[in-house]
Each structure stands twice: as C-alpha cells, then as structure tokens.
Amino acid sequence: MRGLIKAAVVFALAAGGFANFGPVNAGEDLPAGVTVVKAPAAKGGPLAEILSGWGSRSKSTQQLQQDDFENPGYLWVDKGETLWNTVDGKAGKSCATCHDDASVSMKGVGAAMPKWDAKLGRPMTLEQRVNACRTDNMEAKEWKWESDQMLSMTAYVKNQSRGMPVNVQADGPMEPWVKRGKELYYTRVGQLNMSCANCHEANYGKFIRADYLSQGQSNGFPTYRLKWQKVGSLHRRFKGCMKNIRAKPYKRGSDEFVAMEIYLAQRGKGLQVESPAVRN
Amino acid sequence: MKHAKKIVTVCGAVVMAWSAGIAIAGVTKPGDVKFDDTKVTAPLTNEAGDAAKGKLLFSNRKKGNCLACHVNKDLADKPFHGEIGPPLDGVASRYSASEMRGILINAKVALSDETIMPGFYMVNTGARVAKKFKGKTILSAQQIEDILAYLQTLKE
C-alpha cells in the first residue's frame, strides 16, 4: 500500500486516474449487487486476504460496475434472458421449458460451478453444462465456447447468483482436479518463464507497466472487458495471460483450464459472484 | 587500464566461441555462457555495447521491456514504470558489469531461483513455449551488451 501511494501519485495522471485502491466492504464503493470485495483468507493458504479484481480497477471502470444501467455486460445478460425463453432444437424446448423461472431455478447454480457430474465422472463448467442440456435435452446444436450465445447464456445464469458467495466443491472426487489446477497455477510457462502465482500471488497490488495487478480471481466472469469491447469467458482470460508470457495456451474447455477454473474458484472462496463484472 | 581489460575479456569471448565451434564469429551461444558464481565476465560478443541502443531496448515492450517491472528516473519522460522489481536508478554503483551481465542473461542463477525476472539470454525457459519463440532467446547477445552498456550509465 505504501509503494502504491507513491505509484499512484507518479502514474495517476498518465494512467487517467487510478485513484481508488484498497477496497473496503462499506459505503457506496462497491459493485452493484455485491457486499463483499475483500474477504479473510483461509488459514494456511497462500494469500493474506482474498481480493476481488474490482478493487484493482480505476475509479471510472469501477463506476461502470456500480450501476446496472451503465454496465455494458448487461447487454449480454439481456440477450441471455431472451435465449433462455427461446425454443431451439428438434425436441422443441427452451431452457425455460425444463427450468422455468431462472431467477428461482438458477439461483446459486453459477456460484457453485464447475460442478461434479456423477454420470460423466468429471466436473462440468457452466459452458459444458449448457451444451449438455442443448444436445441431450433439446436436441439442439452445441454453442461454441466464445460465441455470443454462450457468453450471453453464461452471463445470464451467473447473474442469477450475483452477490452469493463463491461455493465450489473442492473435496471428494473434485480433489484431484483442485490438485491439478494448483499444479498448473504454480508451473512456470512460456519464454518469459512465469507462473500465474508470479504475478497474481507474489505481485498483486503492484503495477506491471500500465497494468495494476489483481489476484486474478474468477468471481466476475464472464466479464465485460473494455479492451475486448465485449463480454469474455474465464478461459479466454487464461489464454490471454498465457500468451502474454509467450506460452502456448491450453484450449478453452480443456481439462487443464477446467482444473484451473476449479482451483481458482476454490482459491477465491469468500468472494461473491459479480458477473458480469467490468474490467479494463 | 580499463581499456586493456576490455580487450582481454573480448578476446576471451572469441576464444570461447571458437572452442564451442560457433558459426557467428565472436558470439557466445546461450548454452555456452559461463557463469562464475553469479557473474558472467566475458562479453557475449566482440562488438562493444551501444548505450543509446540499450536505452531504447530497455523500454521497448517487445524487447527488454525492463520498464514493465523497474522504475528508472532516467526514462521519466516515458509513462508507466512498473514496480515489480527494485528501481534501477544508480544500479551501476551497486553492481559490476559482470554481475549485471549475469542478471540479464539468467536472473534465476544471478539473483534467485524464485525471481519473476525473465532470463533474457537463455533457451531452457518455461514449459509450453509458444511456437514463435521456441528455441529463441528474448534478446540477442548484442542486445544484452547494449542494455548492459546503458545500465552502466546509471550511476548514483
């Protein structure tokens, strides 16, 4: 924080006002629908406290997430609601045919993703769950991971859990997945030879050139990113970070990224779902 | 005296390059760099480093990008100095050229195994190196010498 104040003074002008650091859980300075952006860490964990990426953004970016009418991510949430009620596929069903009112049936679902699927014997992310419903129950075609439809649907479903605590299962059959995700998190990759932890554990709260490093938490995804000019998936973000360190990224939906998603959710326990968050 | 020393070390690099059977005359391959504890005494090329070029490489995002992690008052005209590593103001008063060469080539050997600072002249880096960068160093031997020449101008 001390280094930060100095940095803020030096760089605030150039960066267009990184004026607001060190989030507190009080007052108006919180994202819409959320009461916690800073949580105590579990004992013995790698982090002193758990921080949402929201607190690492500039005031102007934060403001976009403080008002649902300003938040551009809501364009996708709204499209998701339309898709929820749209019949698609040979079975002649929509999501609503089986699940009815999403604000009731989907409450808490997004907060607990990825979930263990006993039948398949593996965890499923929200994207994978949506596609399983589409192929198995609706006899409709799968949506591509980063398609507008999938982003809209995941933003809509996750939004039904907004403000609820991240609540992923980490024990039982999920244990080896958490372990694998952790391994990947600490593995140095790419020509720059860095691990996720190098930036998001050892150096969060510091500037890396013009970027102010957060803990790289996942609670805001899918997230509206100003740089992307649209909503993007968590796996897209993973790919971007890997590319930046000149590594060959894993594929969206790969077991590696699913494991990392589970590990990150577990790492971020204590935070609340913010989807759709706004980041720069 | 200083001059003489330089000639000797340059010759050293040439001899090393010879004995390793390298195609480019006078350029030490990444695998042939000899660390003396944390130092690399022999220049990587037989061409003296160019501090002006080194200054540009220091801030170039696709090259050294040193500014991503280090504050440097000498480049106060450039925005966005990172704060991941220590400020490099006056760094030449704290480290010898051989020490800084070691840090640039492979900070994992020269500073600490745990460091986030990339090794700029080595090929055994992280897993899954993107195809475009496979088997390549981040900087060339001459670029290391150029940045080193620039760092030597940063005196207290």
Side-chain angles (χ1 to χ4, degrees):
Chain A
M1 194 58 208
R2 294 135 298 271
L4 254 181
I5 292 170
K6 182 196 69 200
V9 172
V10 176
F11 300 114
L13 299 164
F18 283 81
N20 185 298
F21 297 113
V24 283
N25 300 323
E28 303 148 18
D29 277 343
L30 284 170
V34 167
T35 55
V36 167
V37 288
K38 176 182 178 175
K43 270 236 169 69
L47 298 164
E49 55 187 350
I50 311 286
L51 300 171
S52 160
W54 183 82
S56 304
R57 305 289 42 106
S58 69
K59 191 80 203 160
S60 61
T61 306
Q62 289 184 347
Q63 273 164 355
L64 289 175
Q65 207 191 313
Q66 286 180 307
D67 181 346
D68 292 347
F69 290 98
E70 296 285 327
N71 184 341
Y74 268 86
L75 290 174
W76 280 260
V77 173
D78 291 347
K79 274 186 276 186
E81 182 171 16
T82 307
L83 287 170
W84 180 265
N85 295 302
T86 305
V87 171
D88 194 9
K90 292 206 193 82
K93 290 177 185 158
S94 70
C95 312
T97 313
C98 293
H99 298 290
D100 205 9
D101 183 355
S103 71
V104 178
S105 65
M106 292 296 123
K107 199 170 170 60
V109 170
M113 286 287 173
K115 266 191 185 174
W116 184 255
D117 186 298
K119 210 169 68 205
L120 295 177
R122 57 161 297 143
M124 287 181 97
T125 66
L126 181 52
E127 291 86 349
Q128 291 166 335
R129 181 72 256 165
V130 167
N131 269 340
C133 276
R134 287 184 58 78
T135 53
D136 302 353
N137 303 328
M138 297 166 72
E139 295 172 49
K141 267 211 275 205
E142 286 191 358
W143 282 330
K144 287 218 163 71
W145 198 276
E146 208 68 34
S147 65
D148 213 45
Q149 294 104 317
M150 185 59 91
L151 292 169
S152 301
M153 185 55 72
T154 51
Y156 177 63
V157 172
K158 273 265 169 95
N159 187 245
Q160 308 309 316
S161 299
R162 197 173 62 167
M164 295 178 73
V166 172
N167 181 31
V168 74
Q169 183 194 342
D171 58 0
M174 289 289 252
E175 238 173 81
W177 288 79
V178 176
K179 198 165 153 257
R180 176 79 180 121
K182 182 175 179 183
E183 235 168 57
L184 289 163
Y185 193 86
Y186 286 97
T187 302
R188 286 183 186 263
V189 293
Q191 193 194 35
L192 301 194
N193 209 3
M194 294 176 190
S195 71
C196 314
N198 279 143
C199 285
H200 293 297
E201 178 175 314
N203 285 298
Y204 70 85
K206 291 183 187 161
F207 275 99
I208 186 161
R209 204 98 194 215
D211 287 314
Y212 186 71
L213 282 170
S214 73
Q215 288 181 348
Q217 298 288 2
S218 57
N219 58 316
F221 284 86
T223 285
Y224 183 90
R225 208 173 161 214
L226 298 163
K227 187 183 159 196
W228 294 333
Q229 290 285 297
K230 63 182 289 202
V231 159
S233 72
L234 181 62
H235 293 197
R236 179 178 182 187
R237 181 76 241 197
F238 288 168
K239 280 179 78 122
C241 281
M242 288 187 79
K243 273 196 187 152
N244 285 345
I245 47 181
R246 302 186 175 177
K248 182 179 177 214
Y250 296 102
K251 292 201 160 53
R252 291 182 177 89
S254 62
D255 284 356
E256 286 86 0
F257 276 177
V258 173
M260 280 162 66
E261 179 171 344
I262 294 164
Y263 175 67
L264 266 195
Q266 187 268 142
R267 199 177 160 92
K269 265 192 182 175
L271 294 176
Q272 296 174 346
V273 176
E274 290 178 24
S275 319
V278 183
R279 304 285 186 256
N280 57 333
Chain B
M1 186 53 214
K2 231 181 185 163
H3 195 67
K5 207 161 145 198
K6 194 161 198 176
I7 290 170
V8 170
T9 45
V10 168
C11 288
V14 174
V15 170
M16 258 173 57
W18 248 325
S19 57
I22 285 158
I24 314 165
V27 173
T28 308
K29 274 194 196 171
D32 295 332
V33 172
K34 296 264 182 307
F35 267 90
D36 171 10
D37 191 15
T38 62
K39 301 188 195 79
V40 176
T41 313
L44 298 175
T45 71
N46 52 18
E47 196 184 317
D50 180 333
K53 281 188 189 153
K55 185 170 179 170
L56 294 174
L57 291 164
F58 189 97
S59 57
N60 185 318
R61 285 166 204 269
K62 297 229 138 84
K63 297 293 181 187
N65 199 16
C66 315
L67 216 47
C69 296
H70 295 281
V71 167
N72 178 3
K73 285 205 192 85
D74 186 49
L75 292 168
D77 58 320
K78 294 240 180 323
F80 310 130
H81 298 207
E83 42 177 14
I84 308 292
L88 295 184
D89 309 321
V91 70
S93 308
R94 296 192 293 277
Y95 289 98
S96 70
S98 309
E99 284 169 331
M100 289 193 286
R101 187 180 288 108
I103 294 172
L104 284 172
I105 290 171
N106 187 348
K108 310 265 184 306
V109 170
L111 292 172
S112 129
D113 199 31
E114 304 280 291
T115 190
I116 187 178
M117 181 163 157
F120 287 92
Y121 196 65
M122 56 182 287
V123 283
N124 291 326
T125 53
R128 297 183 70 84
V129 174
K131 215 168 158 194
K132 203 172 139 195
F133 302 104
K134 247 203 182 115
K136 294 186 181 144
T137 56
I138 302 173
L139 295 171
S140 72
Q142 193 57 48
Q143 288 169 334
I144 297 282
E145 294 301 324
D146 291 347
I147 293 185
L148 180 59
Y150 171 62
L151 292 182
Q152 285 174 276
T153 69
L154 302 178
K155 294 221 169 83
E156 213 79 83

